[in-house]
Amino acid sequence: MMIDKHALLDAALTARQNAYAPYSRFAVGAALLSEDGRVFTGCNVENRSYSLTCCAERGAVMQAVAAGCRRFTAVAVVGAPQGEIPTAPCYPCGACREVLVEFCTPDTAVYLTGEDTTLGELLPKTFILEGTPVCE
Ligand code: THU
């Protein structure tokens, strides 16, 4: 059975519980639904050097690709200050949008807290490297 929007958001919320965010104190969780129905999650993992911080979305993508999944039909992202329940959309940062584009399509659903959108809406007119397939 295919999991629905709420189940994917729940998976992102669960992953968010493991966010390591001692510097920003902003906890983010992400969940990806692969074409074959598997779910991969990630949370933000910060670093004392700050710039080495990894976002939740990119963590989830790395998990999925390492497990052999490269195509996703939906993405859920939730974020809020640590200790608070997300009540507003946490939009993926530009870097994460670009990384998601590598393994998604413009119509990939993006579920946020209180808002549904698509990856094509979040990042239109993406860079296309001539001669390179969108995703092998
Ligand atoms: N963060 C994410 O995990 N995903 C995003 O798309 C935006 C920002 C994290 C990075 C950092 O740990 C914290 O949120 C505050 O920027």
Side-chain angles (χ1 to χ4, degrees):
M1 195 198 78
M2 225 38 179
I3 82 157
D4 66 5
K5 170 175 117 175
H6 296 289
L8 202 63
L9 282 164
D10 274 353
L13 284 168
T14 299
R16 178 176 175 262
Q17 290 174 2
N18 291 325
Y20 176 70
Y23 307 107
S24 73
R25 305 232 170 251
F26 192 87
V28 184
L32 299 174
L33 179 61
S34 75
E35 254 182 13
D36 61 0
R38 296 166 71 187
V39 174
F40 296 91
T41 60
C43 62
N44 53 331
V45 179
E46 298 189 342
N47 187 270
R48 61 191 64 186
S49 74
Y50 291 20
S51 65
L52 291 176
T53 289
C54 189
C55 290
E57 301 90 315
R58 276 178 283 159
V61 170
M62 303 308 146
Q63 290 283 336
V65 173
C69 287
R70 297 179 179 175
R71 289 175 193 277
F72 309 105
T73 56
V75 181
V77 183
V78 293
Q82 248 167 25
E84 292 180 22
I85 293 167
T87 54
C90 173
Y91 296 106
C93 76
C96 288
R97 294 179 198 200
E98 192 72 54
V99 169
L100 287 166
V101 159
E102 187 77 17
F103 301 105
C104 299
T105 60
D107 66 350
T108 297
V110 179
Y111 303 133
L112 308 171
T113 305
E115 182 175 333
D116 297 346
T117 183
T118 63
L119 194 55
E121 199 171 18
L122 289 177
L123 191 62
K125 299 185 182 178
T126 58
F127 172 66
I128 295 168
L129 186 61
E130 207 182 331
T132 303
V134 171
C135 171
E136 292 182 329

